[in-house]
Amino acid sequence: MAPVIGVTATLKKDTDSVAERPLGSFVRADLDYVAGVAQAGGVPMVLPPLPGTAEEVAGRIDGLLLCGGSDLDPGYYGEEPIPELGVTLPERDHFEMALVEQALERGIPVFGICRGLQVLNVALGGTLYQDLPSQLGGGSIAHRQQMPKWQWTHEVEVDDGSSIAEIMETGGLRVNSYHHQAVKNLAGGLVVSARASDGVVEAVEARNLSERWLVGVQWHAEAMRDAGSPEHRNLFEAHVEAAERYALRRAAA
Ligand code: MN
C-alpha cells in the first residue's frame, strides 16, 4: 500500500480581489509539494495547522514533508526578533513544532524543504540566522533570487560521503534559492551535507538514515524536479521509500 505523506500547509487570508471584501482564512498548500509526493508514489495528505491535532495526525501518517513558508518565531530558539525578521504565523509554528516532536518520537521519516529544514533544525535544538544579509554581512551570496522558482541561481557543494550525495547521485548541484534565513548552530542530531560557496548550510541529514530518516534541503526541490533537474525527484522518492519501510514496521508492531 502506498504510504501516506503528511504535507504541511499554511493559512492565507484572502480578499475578493474586485470588491476587496475579506473572504476569510484559507488552508493553502503549494501544488508542487503535493505533486512531488504523488509523483514519487506517496499519497499526499495536506495538514491544516489546527491547534491540538498534532498527535492524532502523527498517528495517521507514514512520512512528514515540512514545506517552505514564513519565518519561524525566533522564540523557539531562545532569541528576540531582530528588525529584519519576516512575517511569522503563530498557528503554523505551533502546529509544526508539535508535529515534528511527534514524528521524531515515533521515528516517522521527515523531509524538510526551506523553512522545513529550519523547523527540523530548531526542533532538534539548533538555531537560525534570522536574516542572512544583515547577520552574515557582505560575505553572503544572493540567497533570495528574483527569478522564477524552477530556475537555478547558485551552486552547492555536496559532501561526498553524505546520504544526500548518494540519493541525488551527485557531488555538486545548481539550485534555486528563496530564503533569507539559514541554519546558525546545527542541532546535535544532524550533520551538514551541502553548503553554498559562502558557507551557508544548504542541506542537512541525520547521521545514519537507516536508523533515523531525516533530510532537509534549503532549496526548493519541489519546484526544480520537472525543470530538467530530475535528481531533485530522487529526494521525494527516497522519502517515500523510507515512509514505506516505516509503515511496514508500524504494521508489524
Ligand atoms: Mn541558498
Side-chain angles (χ1 to χ4, degrees), residues 43 135 146 153 231:
V43 178
Q135 294 187 309
Q146 302 297 321
T153 182
E231 65 271 24

Side-chain angles (χ1 to χ4, degrees), residues 141-143 154 156 175-179 196 200 202 218-219:
I141 62 169
H143 286 281
H154 70 69
V156 298
V175 299
N176 57 13
S177 198
Y178 273 93
H179 58 110
V200 164
E202 288 280 341
Q218 190 56 69
W219 63 87

Side-chain angles (χ1 to χ4, degrees), residues 117 179 182-184 186 192-196 199-204 218:
L117 175 160
H179 58 110
V183 169
K184 188 161 66 180
L186 186 70
V192 172
S193 31
R195 285 184 194 272
V200 164
V201 172
E202 288 280 341
V204 299
Q218 190 56 69

Side-chain angles (χ1 to χ4, degrees), residues 13-37:
K13 292 210 181 352
D14 228 339
T15 50
D16 180 324
S17 55
V18 182
E20 301 256 322
R21 240 173 341 133
L23 293 175
S25 282
F26 290 75
V27 172
R28 193 181 68 162
D30 185 326
L31 188 60
D32 276 338
Y33 297 105
V34 176
V37 167

Side-chain angles (χ1 to χ4, degrees), residues 71-73 76 89-97 115:
D71 287 357
L72 179 66
D73 181 343
Y76 285 101
L89 203 63
E91 302 95 320
R92 184 172 178 189
D93 289 350
H94 188 262
F95 173 71
E96 289 185 8
M97 291 301 283
R115 167 196 160 91

Side-chain angles (χ1 to χ4, degrees), residues 48-58 91 94-96 98-99 102:
L50 296 173
T53 60
E55 192 175 348
E56 286 292 334
V57 166
E91 302 95 320
H94 188 262
F95 173 71
E96 289 185 8
L99 189 58
Q102 284 287 326

